[in-house]
């Protein structure tokens, strides 16, 4: 990237700061004045907060974030976006998704740094200390969250705590320990001073900060050896604060796992601790909605008795690869469906005709396609298309054909909201960044790493008891001897699959490379290398640096 492009980007950034409006956050239009004058008032500071939130939607709504957070792993395969999903030829100069996410995160951080500086230096006038702390908490939470995403994705790169108002031509990398010192400090401040309830939908609260703090402290414990015990204690204590005082924070685990994904519960979900919101206001969505819901679908319209629908997932056969994501056999092997309800409450296996009745054809509402993860033979007296586990995968787990149907993840399905924007592939469901069930699993992992396996089992059993089928509660419970890192990573797949944590879970625990080689039967197993535990730093960012060679010194694997 040349200097002209850097300047243009900064000019665009200033324009966005002045004009951006986040979903459900009131707009403030400071016509005819400067940014500095606007940010000198608490009302004007809302504009900057809106811009800081804006970049989270760009991370979470689209394919860029999806492939970075959930693909190139053991439980999903794909023939699309092969650099990230298969690691084929993944290099700094050929991966647009990492470049986009890098930009989004650092631009969000710059908004936060501006806000924090103004508030801490007293340049913004507040009528109440409470509002001042709320705004500062939001900026610090967002900065901590963006930096967590950055250090987990790219490793020890650029750490800045002051605003950037001119092109960065010389930069240095900061150690992971410095990242986590700032991340956890920011999140701890937010957990103590954020609002008790959302000022507006999607804004930071104490429960949001405590939840992300439990996640970030756990990640830090795996990487910062000298702080391991301190960070494990912090991961557990922040999780316990939420768990033990759930009613105070207005959160709870739904008794039925299916209720977590009921579209009627989406906008006021009791289990969601932090969410990225989407709105019927198309401008607030920046001309896009949430498209994550349709990335786990296959091209079911190959059956002429089924038409495209928002009920089944609007996988437009004319847009991209209709079978973008294919579940691995390993994912389904993780479920014991005789006692665990999470498979049937997470995946669609039955499709019914949704066309008008026709002569010699199934009537509308009749079953036309059934897919099972069992190996029972096809019923001889049924007229529908049938696929079992053996017709989907070979014995070693290789996918027989990417065009075959498969159990389709339905966590994000919503006939009410999906496809609202222009009635196409975009939807309006809020994206849950973290749920209470993850907090239990974070606490369990922290306890395991501190040597407390029975306590870890107790946390896990809350989640597994909720998932148990009727009469199978005792069978679902685990004992202290069952608890290991491998077990917890498998449990996280059963509970959180598709929710944007799989790559981070495998990377955090050091299991990424071995798990992909063992269970991803696509090209990824042959291409993945040890250095792929970090995503490549975008070449356009490196090319802008005058000290490029110094900046990349010591980085191995990628062609820096």
């Amino acid at each position: 990237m040349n200097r002209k492009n850097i300047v243009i980007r900064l000019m665009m950034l200033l324009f966005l700061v002045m004009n951006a409006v986040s979903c459900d956050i009131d707009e403030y239009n400071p016509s005819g004045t400067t940014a500095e004058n606007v940010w000198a008032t608490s009302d004007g500071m809302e504009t900057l907060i809106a811009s800081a939130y804006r970049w989270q939607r760009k991370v979470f709504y689209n394919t860029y974030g999806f492939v970075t957070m959930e693909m190139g792993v053991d439980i999903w395969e794909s023939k699309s976006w092969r650099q990230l999903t298969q690691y084929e030829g993944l290099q700094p100069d050929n991966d647009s998704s990492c470049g986009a996410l890098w930009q989004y995160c650092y631009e969000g951080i710059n908004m936060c740094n501006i806000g924090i500086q103004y508030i801490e230096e007293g340049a913004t006038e507040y009528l109440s200390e409470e509002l001042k702390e709320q705004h500062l908490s939001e900026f610090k939470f967002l900065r901590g969250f963006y930096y967590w995403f950055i250090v987990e994705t790219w490793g020890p790169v650029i750490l800045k705590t002051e605003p950037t108002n001119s092109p960065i031509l010389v930069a240095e990398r900061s150690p992971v320990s410095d990242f986590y010192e700032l991340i956890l400090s920011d999140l701890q401040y937010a957990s103590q001073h954020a609002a008790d309830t959302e000022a507006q939908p999607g804004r930071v609260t104490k429960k949001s900060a405590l939840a992300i703090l439990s996640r970030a402290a756990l990640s830090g414990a795996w990487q910062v050896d000298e702080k391991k015990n301190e960070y494990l204690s912090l991961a557990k204590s922040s999780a316990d604060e939420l768990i033990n005082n759930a009613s105070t924070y207005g959160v709870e685990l739904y008794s039925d796992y299916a209720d977590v994904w009921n579209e009627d519960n989406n906008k006021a979900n009791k289990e969601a601790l932090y969410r990225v919101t989407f709105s019927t206001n198309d401008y607030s969505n920046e001309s896009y909605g949430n498209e994550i819901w349709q990335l786990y679908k296959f091209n079911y319209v190959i059956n002429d008795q089924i038409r495209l629908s928002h009920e089944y997932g609007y996988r437009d056969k004319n847009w991209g690869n209709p079978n973008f994501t294919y579940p691995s056999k390993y994912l389904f092997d993780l479920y014991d469906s005789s006692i665990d309800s999470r498979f049937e409450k997470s995946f669609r296996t039955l499709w019914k005709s949704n066309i008008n009745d026709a002569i010699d054809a199934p009537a509308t509402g009749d079953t036309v396609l059934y897919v099972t993860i069992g190996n029972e033979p096809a019923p001889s007296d049924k007229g529908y298309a049938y696929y079992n586990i053996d017709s989907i995968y070979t014995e070693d787990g290789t996918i027989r054909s990417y065009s075959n149907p498969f159990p389709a993840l339905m966590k994000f399905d919503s006939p009410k909201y999906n496809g609202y924007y222009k009635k196409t592939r975009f939807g309006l469901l809020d994206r849950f960044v973290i749920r209470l069930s993850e907090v239990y699993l974070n606490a369990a992992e922290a306890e395991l790493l501190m040597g407390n396996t029975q306590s870890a089992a107790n946390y896990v059993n809350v989640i597994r008891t909720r998932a148990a089928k009727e009469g199978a509660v005792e069978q679902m419970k685990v004992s202290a001897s069952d608890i290991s890192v491998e077990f917890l990573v498998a449990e996280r797949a059963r509970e959180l699959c598709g929710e944007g944590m799989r790559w981070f879970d495998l990377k955090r625990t050091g299991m990424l490379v071995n798990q992909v080689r063992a269970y991803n039967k696509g090209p990824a197993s042959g291409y993945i290398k040890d250095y792929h535990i970090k995503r490549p730093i975008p070449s356009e960012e490196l090319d802008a640096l005058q000290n490029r060679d110094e900046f990349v010194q010591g980085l191995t694997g990628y062609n820096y």
Side-chain angles (χ1 to χ4, degrees):
M1 182 187 300
N2 59 37
R3 293 190 185 189
K4 178 180 178 181
N5 287 339
I6 296 173
V7 173
I8 290 173
R9 175 181 289 184
L10 287 166
M11 292 174 64
M12 292 176 63
L13 179 58
L14 179 59
F15 176 81
L16 289 170
V17 170
M18 298 299 296
N19 293 279
V21 180
S22 182
C23 172
D24 295 316
I25 296 177
D26 295 335
E27 180 178 6
Y28 179 83
N29 182 16
S31 177
T33 190
T34 66
E36 289 77 7
N37 289 337
V38 173
W39 300 333
T41 70
S42 58
D43 285 344
M45 190 57 72
E46 287 283 347
T47 302
L48 193 61
I49 290 174
S51 188
Y53 277 102
R54 172 182 185 263
W55 302 103
Q56 294 220 331
R57 186 174 295 112
K58 295 180 76 68
V59 169
F60 283 100
Y61 87 82
N62 65 17
T63 311
Y64 294 148
F66 165 74
V67 296
T68 302
M69 294 183 277
E70 191 74 11
M71 299 301 294
V73 295
D74 52 353
I75 61 175
W76 307 109
E77 297 183 31
S78 178
K79 296 183 71 175
S80 301
W81 292 48
R82 65 183 185 275
Q83 287 88 358
L84 280 177
T85 65
Q86 300 177 8
Y87 302 98
E88 180 184 354
L90 178 60
Q91 290 297 338
D93 60 354
N94 67 2
D95 176 42
S96 60
S97 57
C98 278
L101 293 173
W102 176 287
Q103 175 188 341
Y104 300 156
C105 288
Y106 274 108
E107 290 183 346
I109 285 168
N110 202 42
M111 302 300 97
C112 294
N113 284 338
I114 293 171
I116 291 169
Q117 183 182 75
Y118 264 71
I119 295 172
E120 290 187 335
E121 293 183 356
T124 302
E125 182 179 351
Y126 282 93
L127 298 179
S128 73
E129 187 68 20
E130 181 181 8
L131 182 58
K132 176 182 176 180
E133 289 184 350
Q134 177 186 319
H135 282 181
L136 187 57
S137 295
E138 291 182 271
F139 283 125
K140 288 199 170 190
F141 172 92
L142 292 170
R143 184 173 69 176
F145 184 86
Y146 285 127
Y147 269 134
W148 173 83
F149 189 95
I150 285 171
V151 74
E152 289 301 301
T153 303
W154 293 285
V157 286
I158 302 171
L159 182 68
K160 286 185 64 63
T161 57
E162 296 180 354
T164 299
N165 50 26
S166 61
I168 298 177
L169 302 178
V170 177
E172 63 179 22
R173 303 200 321 272
S174 296
V176 169
S177 58
D178 287 358
F179 273 86
Y180 273 102
E181 184 176 352
L182 178 67
I183 290 166
L184 299 180
S185 174
D186 278 353
L187 293 175
Q188 283 179 290
Y189 182 91
S191 71
Q192 296 164 7
H193 299 286
D196 293 327
T197 58
E198 292 175 315
Q200 289 158 333
R203 289 179 67 163
V204 172
T205 61
K206 285 186 174 68
K207 67 180 181 183
S208 310
L210 285 165
I212 297 299
L213 179 58
S214 78
R215 177 192 288 179
L218 183 62
S219 298
W222 280 91
Q223 299 181 66
V224 186
D225 289 341
E226 64 272 22
K227 296 276 190 174
K228 179 178 179 179
N229 290 333
E230 177 185 336
Y231 289 172
L232 288 174
S233 295
L234 181 58
K236 180 181 182 300
S237 62
S238 54
D240 282 344
E241 173 64 21
L242 275 171
I243 292 168
N244 297 334
N245 300 288
S247 60
T248 300
Y249 292 104
V251 299
E252 64 179 270
L253 289 174
Y254 285 98
S255 59
D256 187 341
Y257 186 74
D259 287 340
V260 179
W261 311 111
N262 186 322
E263 64 180 332
D264 291 334
N265 294 332
N266 178 262
K267 298 296 181 179
N269 195 279
K270 293 183 292 186
E271 195 165 319
L273 301 171
Y274 184 59
R275 59 200 173 111
V276 174
T277 59
F278 292 86
S279 168
T280 55
N281 182 336
D282 293 338
Y283 179 74
S284 293
N285 292 332
E286 301 171 44
S287 297
Y288 296 98
N290 184 349
E291 68 179 42
I292 194 70
W293 63 290
Q294 45 81 51
L295 294 173
Y296 295 100
K297 308 301 182 186
F298 65 87
N299 188 16
Y300 55 83
V301 295
I302 56 174
N303 188 307
D304 61 9
Q305 299 301 315
I306 309 176
R307 292 177 177 168
L308 286 173
S309 73
H310 292 116
E311 178 183 5
Y312 290 150
Y314 194 90
R315 272 301 349 204
D316 187 345
K317 61 183 178 181
N318 297 317
W319 177 78
N321 183 350
N323 289 20
F324 186 96
T325 302
Y326 212 108
S328 69
K329 183 175 183 292
Y330 169 69
L331 173 58
F332 297 138
D333 288 343
L334 291 174
Y335 294 97
D336 182 350
S337 295
S338 66
I339 60 174
D340 191 335
S341 70
R342 284 175 294 190
F343 169 75
E344 65 189 46
K345 292 174 180 178
S346 299
F347 292 89
R348 182 183 299 279
T349 58
L350 186 69
W351 288 259
K352 296 182 178 181
S353 175
N354 59 4
I355 65 173
N356 294 328
D357 295 355
I359 297 175
D360 297 327
T364 298
D366 284 356
T367 298
V368 293
L369 174 62
Y370 177 58
V371 182
T372 177
I373 60 171
N375 57 8
E376 59 269 19
S380 58
D381 60 340
K382 305 294 183 182
Y384 52 75
Y386 172 83
Y387 292 80
N388 66 10
I389 198 77
D390 295 328
S391 58
I392 300 173
Y393 305 96
T394 64
E395 186 175 351
D396 73 350
T398 301
I399 296 169
R400 293 187 182 276
S401 171
Y402 277 86
S403 62
N404 280 345
F406 55 79
L409 191 70
M410 60 181 183
K411 287 182 176 181
F412 314 119
D413 286 2
S414 171
K416 178 179 179 181
Y417 289 114
N418 288 343
Y420 182 93
Y421 177 73
K422 294 184 179 178
K423 306 301 179 186
T424 61
R425 65 182 184 270
F426 300 111
L428 299 178
L429 289 177
D430 290 348
R431 176 74 183 274
F432 303 155
V433 178
I434 187 167
R435 296 190 288 114
L436 186 57
S437 61
E438 183 192 329
V439 172
Y440 276 89
L441 295 174
N442 293 344
E445 191 172 323
E447 288 282 41
L448 168 65
L449 296 179
M450 290 188 289
N452 304 322
T453 52
Q454 183 57 60
S455 181
N458 294 341
Y459 285 109
V460 172
N461 282 334
V462 175
I463 303 304
R464 290 181 63 83
T465 297
R466 191 264 292 270
K469 288 189 171 180
E470 186 176 356
V473 168
E474 293 306 314
Q475 292 172 273
M476 279 287 284
K477 289 181 179 179
V478 295
S479 64
S481 61
D482 296 315
I483 301 298
S484 66
V485 171
E486 292 74 19
F487 173 84
L488 291 179
V489 169
E491 188 66 20
R492 291 176 78 95
R494 287 184 282 265
E495 178 71 22
L496 305 173
C497 70
E499 298 179 49
M501 278 301 295
R502 191 58 182 175
W503 191 87
F504 292 123
D505 286 342
L506 295 179
K507 182 261 184 187
R508 179 185 70 255
T509 55
M511 295 175 61
L512 176 66
V513 176
N514 289 340
Q515 285 289 108
V516 171
R517 287 174 177 167
Y519 300 115
N520 186 315
K521 300 301 181 178
S525 60
Y527 285 118
I528 193 169
K529 302 292 189 297
D530 289 344
Y531 62 83
H532 286 134
I533 61 171
K534 298 183 183 70
R535 303 300 197 184
I537 301 171
S539 60
E540 64 174 8
E541 305 298 333
L542 296 174
D543 292 344
L545 298 177
Q546 294 177 347
N547 67 328
R548 184 188 194 282
D549 292 343
E550 178 185 352
F551 185 84
V552 301
Q553 187 174 359
L555 297 178
T556 59
Y558 293 112
N559 295 333
Y560 289 129

